[in-house]
Amino acid sequence: MNRQSRTTIQPSPSLLHRVDLVLDGLMELVLLAIVLITPWLFGGYHNYFQHLACAGLSIALVLWAIKQIIHWQLKLHFCIASLLLVVLFVVSSFSLLSLPPATLKSISPEVASWYQKFLPRQQEQMEQGGINEPAPFPPGTTLSIYPGATQQALLELLAVMVVFLLVRHSLADPERFKRFAWAMVINGCLLSIFALLQKLRATGNTIYGIGVAGEPFGPFINRNHFATYVNICIFLGLGLFISQMRSRKTQYRTGMDGQRQPISYSTDSWSEILQHPIAMWLLIPIATCMTGVLASLSRGGILALVSGLALTLLIWRRRAGGRNLAALILIPVLAMGILAWFGASPTIARLEQEQAVAMEGRFSIWQSAWEIGRNFPLMGTGFGTFTHVEPVYRPAGVDQIIAHLHAHNEYLEAFAEGGVLRLLITLALVWLVLRAGWLALHPQSGIRDTGMILGAWAACVTVALHSVVEFGIHLPAIASALAMTGGFLQALSRKRLDDGDTDTLIRSRFLGLGPVIAAVFAGTLALILFTGSWRYWQSEWFRERGLLAMQQGKDKNDLDAFQRAVDLLDMAIYCAPAHARVRMERYEVEQQRLVKVEEHARIDLSRRLTAQALVRIPTSLTGMTVIPLGLFAEDALLPYLVQASMAEDLRKSHQTSWNMQAHQIRTARNCCPVLWKPHLAIAEHVPPANATLQEKDLQLYWKICDSLSAYLDRIKLLQPHRAETWYLAGQLEWLNGQRVAAIASWRRCLELSDEFIAQIVISCHQDALQPEMRLSREEVMTRLLPPSSASQLVSAAWALHPEAKEVEARKPYMERAIELLEKREDVLSPENQFIYGMALWGVDKREQGLQNLLIAVRARPLQTEWRLNLGRLYFELEKYADAREQLQMVLRQQQGNKIAELLLQKLDELQRPGTNKDVKR
């Protein structure tokens, strides 16, 4: 009786099994939803979509914890890949710890050296007041150069790790793997159809009617990411196809109608392949996916696809001989047929662009990544910091404005951000996953579901290959799909045909604490994922609306909109206090708000003075002949009193605002010392050395800070090849009376780019505020302008002397430019012909200059600036018909060009009936 009663109260195995099925089914549903839906949401790029994915993972973790508690034991598989993922996360998290200076220097002397270069020995202090909010991370104490970026990158890594661990240790079942593969194939096919229709409709850079930056294809912002994701779908589909095929001869059964029906089909002949039902449900969707990849014009994606197909054919031949090759060859043949019908010319043209990779700058990005890793060999600069450190090592001669979010090479990025340690862990993870599949595909391995394993292995290979030239692994849609594929591959590659399992299962209660440990661990991860992603989403939400409010304030001249923008950005900072970008945007918005405050104050002063004058008018109209002396005095002093009151109010407003601004720029610099804008903003408030300031004015400057040269030297080190930083540094040096330093900075700026030449030559040659610092014409030509730049001589001459009557003033510059051009071997190039034409025009040889400009424009018809100057010259020569033609072409190429619109307006006025101007051809 006792035994029977004890037996009845034990949990029923069938009940536990049903509960397991429900919990596993819910976890599977959550993971499938993440993998299948995120590609349609711009690949999960936005923080909001990432938060939704992390919320789903949090639910899956809770379900996993419930499962462990029900069984009252912790069940895990021994898996080196899982262990390495955890090690990677822990090692990357170590860079967020605050370390003593000696420890930091011993681990990473390069990071310690950078902190000495880019952080002051003591923090800047104001004259009075100030905000003493503690920094999110003590400045100069972490191995990560930018801890805020590392925090966010670690959250993304944690999400990928959770997906892999859930699949590897709880959901690794052949039937689930097949359902996952089916879902991926269908999703990839639908994505490809959507992308092809989008391309046929020529929607441009829009997705769902929303404009996006980059080169979108389908719902992905980057066409290369589309190719990476769909390649995974293709090879999972191929694995399904192979697993359904049978290599033995056809077997039959007798149906209800007495007819013999095939049980399985042989892959020895094309006819039987096409009779197989799976051919319709898999061949066509896979071929559609391949067509999508080919039409995406992603060279890396196409090469990864071809490499994966070649390896799949070779390995399957190694295992099954040549009998099944026809089944695999049929799919790419069908894809090429669809592409030929759709139009293969763009794809072929894309592949023929031999120099396109170099033009896109990948080699320069790789060079920067290699230099970062070489200079920070052990621990790197910190997870997620590549985009902020890369400009320091960017080679000269490439675009210095664009921000590279990633290195376009996952292995070099791992080396740059994590040093040799992270690179070795990354390579080990790739090797372990691919090795598991490779061993399972051996003919003597005894592993079942070799077709599915081959598909998963080839999918991982394509991502590993594509990661050499792309960064799609950082996109949530691709990372989650790869994590699930890798988890299934690691688990199922160890299941044998005889139902033997070589996968070591660890079941332990740890003295009854195993389930508790599992629940606490899963709950902690779920809380970190949910709250972390929610805070980043909220920060981005407030930031976007703050910038939108700022734009509304600009457009409508609305001071309240600027105040709303400031408040919203304050909320964004509260949600993500370690992000320097939001703090700098908050500083810039506050600067623009103060400008609007001054404008509104001037308008208010004008209204008050006008109202006061209107009050006096009725008094004079009453015939009053004697006006009291006090009233005269009041009228005379009122403007000065009002202006003084307004100036005092503005000074108080600036002082209150400066307290917050000083805190934001100082904290932004401390959060990420390698951002150049905070250093510039701090330098702008260094007290000028050559001016005597009153006590109230000094309150808007630092009381304690480094010298101006120290801040400007840091900016130049951080952006050594960016013309803008040298221009702004020279501007501050010029305003502070550092004439020699300013000339040197501006000359370096002009050596890098012509962009700021007009502002520079006007500032140093026509400075009305500091006449003693002006440069003479000879100094401009010899000390400021680079000695062999004819284009800058011409630009400087036109900037300084733009009027037609100033021919004599322009002549020295133009004659020197013509002399330089005539000595060049490439004087007949379109660029030099344009400069030659502008120089001849400058010395009043307009007809000769016109011929050179015509030659240049005909050789480069898309050069809008050249065509605009040609139109201006036609206008001066009174060839109005030609001028109109050129100006209209300018507006077709560049809508809203103000100079072209103004000249066309003048042409319309000149050619109205009754004018004395004749239209000349």
Side-chain angles (χ1 to χ4, degrees), residues 795-851:
S795 299
W798 279 109
L800 292 171
H801 310 289
E803 300 296 330
K805 61 184 179 181
E806 297 180 287
V807 174
E808 291 301 320
R810 287 194 297 265
K811 188 171 289 187
Y813 297 94
M814 299 305 185
E815 289 177 346
R816 175 62 179 157
I818 292 172
E819 180 184 350
L820 289 172
L821 286 170
E822 290 176 346
K823 292 179 180 179
R824 300 191 60 162
E825 296 180 357
D826 59 343
V827 67
L828 297 179
S829 67
E831 290 76 12
N832 287 330
Q833 286 294 306
F834 171 75
I835 299 169
Y836 207 169
M838 294 296 293
L840 292 172
W841 179 10
V843 293
D844 207 23
K845 297 179 180 180
R846 295 183 291 178
E847 289 291 348
Q848 298 178 37
L850 177 63
Q851 300 304 317

Side-chain angles (χ1 to χ4, degrees), residues 696-749:
K696 60 181 180 180
D697 296 325
L698 278 173
Q699 294 177 1
L700 299 178
Y701 291 90
W702 302 108
K703 178 181 180 181
I704 297 176
C705 62
D706 287 351
S707 66
L708 177 66
S709 300
Y711 292 108
L712 298 183
D713 288 343
R714 290 166 190 160
I715 295 172
K716 295 169 185 177
L717 284 173
L718 290 171
Q719 296 281 345
H721 306 301
R722 185 169 181 166
E724 182 184 7
T725 56
W726 290 91
Y727 166 68
L728 295 173
Q731 196 174 40
L732 281 178
E733 289 164 341
W734 185 266
L735 292 174
N736 281 268
Q738 300 178 13
R739 191 173 188 265
V740 176
I743 293 172
S745 296
W746 280 341
R747 177 157 179 156
R748 177 57 181 158
C749 170

